[in-house]
Amino acid sequence: MENQTNTLPDIKQTLVFNAPIQKVWNAVATSEGIAAWFMPNNFKPETGYEFHLEAGPFGNSPCKVTEVNPPNRLSFEWGKDWSLTFELTDLEGKTEFTLIHSGWDLDKVTEFGQPHAAVRETMSQGWGGLSKKLAAYVEA
């Protein structure tokens, strides 16, 4: 492995939702579901499928599906450096949900020239809010 000293830790958040796994899967692995709590998009749950997240003032972020394993795991590349993984575990009617946002590097900046270190802090807090939106959506 080449110089790994400048990588920043993944953002990782785990929550338990009072909702069945299939309902949570539909919320994180369908275009309608993702739009309800995250961003408008043209996602399809197909490995290799290229899609966009409509990131408001930041325009359309290019993404590519890298893994689809219903109803337990979905991964996709986001922008030029990041990857997002959603992991779901069935807890007898409830669902443990883990979000992993990886690809952080102290030496890199985003497409908009912002240092990863600064954006990571903002994103980490942002995911907290989004997780609450997702909980409200699947538990409704």
Side-chain angles (χ1 to χ4, degrees), residues 20-130:
I21 193 167
Q22 192 60 50
K23 188 172 184 187
V24 179
W25 176 256
N26 290 342
V28 300
T30 65
S31 178
E32 302 77 15
I34 293 168
W37 65 275
F38 188 28
M39 291 184 207
N41 64 86
N42 59 340
F43 170 87
K44 283 186 183 163
E46 298 165 11
T47 302
Y49 185 77
E50 295 186 10
F51 67 101
H52 285 89
L53 289 171
E54 294 175 27
F58 295 106
N60 286 346
S61 281
C63 301
K64 183 179 179 179
V65 180
T66 52
E67 184 183 357
V68 183
N69 181 9
N72 299 112
R73 190 176 162 96
L74 171 76
S75 294
F76 58 87
E77 294 169 358
W78 180 17
K80 66 182 178 65
D81 296 320
W82 295 331
S83 71
L84 276 183
T85 300
F86 302 141
E87 292 178 346
L88 287 67
T89 306
D90 190 352
L91 301 178
E92 295 173 6
K94 294 186 179 184
T95 305
E96 182 183 86
F97 172 79
T98 300
L99 174 145
I100 303 160
H101 183 171
S102 54
W104 302 98
D105 189 324
L106 276 174
D107 294 335
K108 290 185 178 174
V109 295
T110 68
E111 289 87 329
F112 304 99
Q114 300 160 298
H116 273 205
V119 177
R120 186 188 175 283
E121 209 43 53
T122 307
M123 285 295 235
S124 187
Q125 292 169 5
W127 282 121
L130 283 167

